[in-house]
Amino acid sequence: MSNQPSTNKAVPGSTTQMESTKASLVAALPGIELTWSVFCSQDRVVFPAGSLMKVLQAFKAAGFDQLTDLTAVDLLEYGSASDRFEIVYCLLNVDSGLRLIAKTHLSEPDLTIPSATQVWFGADWLEREVYDMYGIIFDGHPNFKRLLLPQEFQSFPLRKDYPVKGRGERHNFPVVTRAES
Amino acid sequence: MSTAASKHDLSRFGSEVMRFSPRQCDLMIVAGRVVMKMLPVLQRIWLQMPEPKWCISMGACACSGGVFDTYSVVQGIDRFMPVDVYVPGCPPRPEQLIKSILDLQAKIQSGGTVNAREFKLRVLPEGPSRFDEEELIRIRERNGFKLEDPKYDPVH
């Protein structure tokens, strides 16, 4: 897929280094279905959510020692998607500069996956934000509560079935009048 | 900022003294959008100000939410707080803010403030109708989620 000319600099998605990392990952995870692809010279892999901890630990053992981002996508009414939520782990190997986008899929009603904080502790706030916006529950997180929205908020606003103007949360305040202030 | 700085110089009209504690203030200028997490804070600041006190809602965002018609942005602080003068504009010119303070001075001179008698007719909320509180309960039941276990939370 990558049509970039080869240069001396490491081009993600086309290097032999990435190919050897892929081979070692496939060897380290026997029986787990990994779907590899390259898009815009970014290496991506989709793995099943059931073997999440094993896969993430294998990624870390393969040298991806930094979790640069953890986010989610709501695929409701998105074309051919069969699952509702997609959890995206953006990984970086600090030594070699290799990057990997790892994805897994989740569907309602069971929106619980293991927390990545046991592998990369930087996942702490990222997972709390994903819970805040999408309602994905990360099992084993050390301090699992909402990060940005108020604790008493009941909805998950980045879900596609949440109306952009909310469900009245922005009107739910006491009115302070001249007489009582 | 520019209103109080040397080019426009609000102190020409005797109003340049800024205080950074609400307990020393008599005028609050709300200068920007207020999200639902900030509105209780804003109301608390207003309640901490000593009488007599006034409020200027500056800019389209504070007056009406502006272009931010989303779930978290309060659509005008006047729904939940008393406002004396509205300043339109996105953003308002410094001259507009100076004019609003002059208008407020005229309003104070013509009215009288100590016992707030000119606001006697304004004790009822003027905004849209209140949010149905039963709706929150329905949302809670529909989602099936409860609040998190607060065992790690030192604040709540």
Side-chain angles (χ1 to χ4, degrees):
Chain A
M1 297 276 273
S2 174
N3 296 321
Q4 296 197 350
S6 61
T7 57
N8 290 332
K9 290 171 77 176
V11 179
S14 59
T15 58
T16 53
Q17 205 174 11
M18 193 65 216
E19 293 304 321
S20 65
T21 308
K22 277 184 194 177
S24 69
L25 278 172
V26 171
L29 296 167
I32 294 176
E33 186 192 351
L34 301 178
T35 312
W36 299 87
S37 58
V38 177
F39 178 74
C40 289
S41 70
Q42 291 177 326
D43 290 279
R44 306 186 299 183
V45 58
V46 179
F47 59 92
S51 51
L52 183 114
M53 282 316 281
K54 211 186 283 182
V55 173
L56 293 186
Q57 275 156 357
F59 285 159
K60 186 161 191 186
F64 292 103
D65 46 4
Q66 190 184 75
L67 178 71
T68 49
D69 201 2
L70 192 166
T71 182
V73 184
D74 187 354
L75 298 176
L76 185 71
E77 297 169 12
Y78 181 81
S80 59
S82 57
D83 291 298
R84 168 131 191 220
F85 291 101
E86 184 176 71
I87 317 294
V88 186
Y89 299 83
C90 301
L91 307 176
L92 170 65
N93 185 334
V94 176
D95 293 329
S96 65
L98 289 181
R99 288 179 190 269
L100 179 66
I101 315 288
K103 301 179 179 183
T104 188
H105 292 95
L106 276 182
S107 278
E108 284 163 325
D110 185 22
L111 293 180
T112 304
I113 58 169
S115 170
T117 48
Q118 291 157 28
V119 186
W120 300 280
F121 196 69
D124 185 342
W125 281 22
L126 302 172
E127 287 183 344
R128 282 172 61 188
E129 189 186 1
V130 169
Y131 168 67
D132 215 355
M133 295 296 168
Y134 296 95
I136 312 287
I137 295 166
F138 292 91
D139 197 19
H141 190 283
N143 182 15
F144 197 58
K145 58 179 185 177
R146 285 185 183 270
L147 176 67
L148 300 171
L149 290 164
Q151 297 300 312
E152 64 271 16
F153 202 83
Q154 293 294 331
S155 305
F156 302 107
L158 280 192
R159 286 187 179 184
K160 294 292 183 197
D161 54 359
Y162 183 80
V164 68
K165 295 181 183 179
R167 296 193 173 119
E169 292 91 346
R170 63 185 182 183
H171 300 310
N172 190 27
F173 294 102
V175 179
V176 175
T177 61
R178 265 296 165 188
E180 66 196 25
S181 63
Chain B
M1 292 300 116
S2 178
T3 309
S6 55
K7 184 166 182 179
H8 296 282
D9 197 11
L10 189 58
S11 65
R12 292 179 293 160
F13 306 102
S15 329
E16 84 283 11
V17 183
M18 302 287 173
R19 288 282 179 260
F20 294 93
S21 162
R23 294 168 194 271
Q24 299 170 344
C25 293
D26 55 7
L27 169 65
M28 177 166 76
I29 301 177
V30 182
R33 58 194 175 276
V34 177
V35 296
M36 66 181 183
K37 206 171 174 182
M38 206 60 195
L39 187 74
V41 181
L42 191 67
Q43 286 181 331
R44 187 162 180 170
I45 289 173
W46 173 255
L47 291 175
Q48 284 178 351
M49 286 169 61
E51 288 280 1
K53 58 188 173 185
W54 298 273
C55 177
I56 290 179
S57 173
M58 171 185 157
C61 288
C63 293
S64 68
V67 298
F68 303 99
D69 191 6
T70 63
Y71 66 96
S72 59
V73 181
V74 172
Q75 300 296 298
I77 60 162
D78 57 340
R79 298 187 180 210
F80 306 107
M81 290 180 49
V83 173
D84 294 291
V85 181
Y86 299 87
V87 186
C90 183
R93 289 284 308 162
E95 294 89 340
Q96 286 177 271
L97 189 59
I98 290 174
K99 182 70 169 76
S100 75
I101 287 175
L102 293 180
D103 286 348
L104 186 62
Q105 288 172 349
K107 182 177 179 177
I108 294 165
Q109 280 189 339
S110 67
T113 51
V114 175
N115 55 6
R117 63 180 182 277
E118 72 276 24
F119 301 119
K120 206 177 289 174
L121 296 176
R122 293 182 54 189
V123 294
L124 291 175
E126 295 167 4
S129 61
R130 286 292 311 280
F131 174 61
D132 179 17
E133 289 178 10
E134 296 291 314
E135 177 69 13
L136 275 188
I137 297 169
R138 287 197 293 275
I139 290 168
R140 195 170 299 144
E141 286 169 352
R142 201 181 310 141
N143 288 329
F145 287 111
K146 294 192 170 174
L147 285 182
E148 299 85 350
D149 187 358
K151 61 188 169 185
Y152 292 102
D153 192 346
V155 180
H156 301 287

